[in-house]
Structure formats: structure tokens, C-alpha cells
Amino acid sequence: MNHKEKPLAELTLRKYEKPYRLTGRELVKKLCLSMGLLQPADSRDVVVDVFLSLLKSPEPVTLQDIEKSVKLSRKKHNMSTAGSAASNVRRQVKRLKDCFIVEKVGRSYRIAENAPLHEVFAERIEKFYLPTIVSRVKEYCEAVEGERWKNDRPAVSQVQKPDE
């Protein structure tokens, strides 16, 4: 992908059923799916454990603490610890940071402003991130519409109707 094709911002949102009867890791997994942090049927779901580690911690946590927590969580749920290497944990924390859910405090990380998650989503994603993406998509729509009739395409009135 060349630099002109790399998105400046990206957001995937999915709507699932209401979160009835979901708890713990499964609830966080569904949130990750809803926010596009995880793809449906993706077995590589370490981001769920990274997110869960940050959600459960009342204080900012280091990458090493997150890594330990991820490994414990995966063992607790009888899951492979593959993907819980320090490099992947860093990558997953960066993904959460890039979508404004997590912030760095010194050498540690926490949920943004230590605020309730629904407030983080409303303030940082819904009110800030999403409108900038929607605005740019509209600009592309307008630009495409401007190009739409430039290709010698006949006007609707010039197209012969089938029954003529």
C-alpha cells in the first residue's frame, strides 16, 4: 500500500444483539467486535485480553503488567498463549491508543482519562473521530459526483427508452 492509499483514520462499527447474558471476557470480545478491533471468526483475539487487562486495572499499568495479565487470562480461559508476546501486546495497546480508547501516562497505560468507557466512546469517538471521517467521506462523494457527468455519458433525456 503506497502512502496515498493509507487511510488517515479508520473506523469500523458493527451492530450486534443487545448484550444480554454476556459477562467478562465474552462481553469485552463482543465490544471489540462491535468496534472493529476484532474481525468476526478471528481466532487471534489477544486484543480482547489486552483490553480486559486495561479495563480491570484501577491504576495505569505497564506493558509488562499487561503481558502478564494477558497470559493469565488466556490460561484461565483454557486458550493458547500464542500472540501474547511483548511485541504483539505493544501492537494491541497501540491499536487501542490509536482509536482513542487508551492513553499513555508516563510509562504506563490506562483507559482514556480513567473515565467510564461509554463516556470515552461518546467524547472521543462519537463526537470527535466519527464526524471527521464522515465529513471526509462526504467530500469524496461530492468529488465523485462532480466527475460523474464528465465522461461523455448521455443525459437521461438522451437515452433511448426500450419501448421506442
Side-chain angles (χ1 to χ4, degrees):
M1 176 185 317
N2 70 41
H3 74 282
K4 289 186 178 183
E5 292 178 357
K6 187 174 181 190
L8 300 174
E10 185 173 17
L11 182 63
T12 299
L13 297 174
R14 297 185 185 95
K15 182 178 179 181
Y16 287 96
E17 70 281 354
K18 290 190 176 204
Y20 299 125
R21 298 185 188 101
L22 292 175
T23 59
R25 189 178 190 284
E26 285 305 308
L27 184 59
V28 174
K29 182 175 182 176
K30 194 64 78 156
L31 176 60
C32 288
L33 285 163
S34 296
M35 296 178 66
L37 294 167
L38 186 63
Q39 299 302 316
D42 196 348
S43 61
R44 297 173 294 168
D45 64 354
V46 171
V47 68
V48 176
D49 300 293
V50 169
F51 198 7
L52 192 58
S53 173
L54 287 156
L55 287 166
K56 285 184 172 184
S57 179
E59 299 293 324
V61 288
T62 65
L63 287 169
Q64 294 80 13
D65 291 336
I66 296 169
E67 186 181 346
K68 288 176 192 171
S69 177
V70 165
K71 288 177 181 177
L72 287 172
S73 175
R74 295 189 69 80
K75 285 179 184 175
K76 176 183 171 186
H77 292 95
N78 297 319
M79 302 175 77
S80 167
T81 56
S84 58
S87 58
N88 195 40
V89 168
R90 273 193 313 273
R91 190 172 75 78
Q92 300 306 331
V93 169
K94 183 182 181 324
R95 288 179 66 211
L96 291 165
K97 191 171 162 255
D98 288 347
C99 64
F100 307 107
I101 296 169
V102 168
E103 65 186 5
K104 190 171 184 177
V105 179
R107 292 184 174 205
S108 299
Y109 296 87
R110 69 176 183 188
I111 299 300
E113 298 181 15
N114 222 14
L117 201 52
H118 67 278
E119 288 178 15
V120 172
F121 182 83
E123 291 297 320
R124 292 176 173 237
I125 296 172
E126 191 176 2
K127 290 182 182 173
F128 172 72
Y129 200 47
L130 183 59
T132 63
I133 295 171
V134 170
S135 174
R136 186 58 50 90
V137 172
K138 286 179 181 179
E139 288 177 24
Y140 273 94
C141 288
E142 290 168 3
V144 167
E145 192 61 32
E147 292 286 317
R148 185 175 179 188
W149 304 112
K150 288 184 178 180
N151 298 323
D152 297 322
R153 183 176 167 186
V156 176
S157 62
Q158 295 174 339
V159 176
Q160 191 175 18
K161 295 179 182 168
D163 56 345
E164 289 182 350

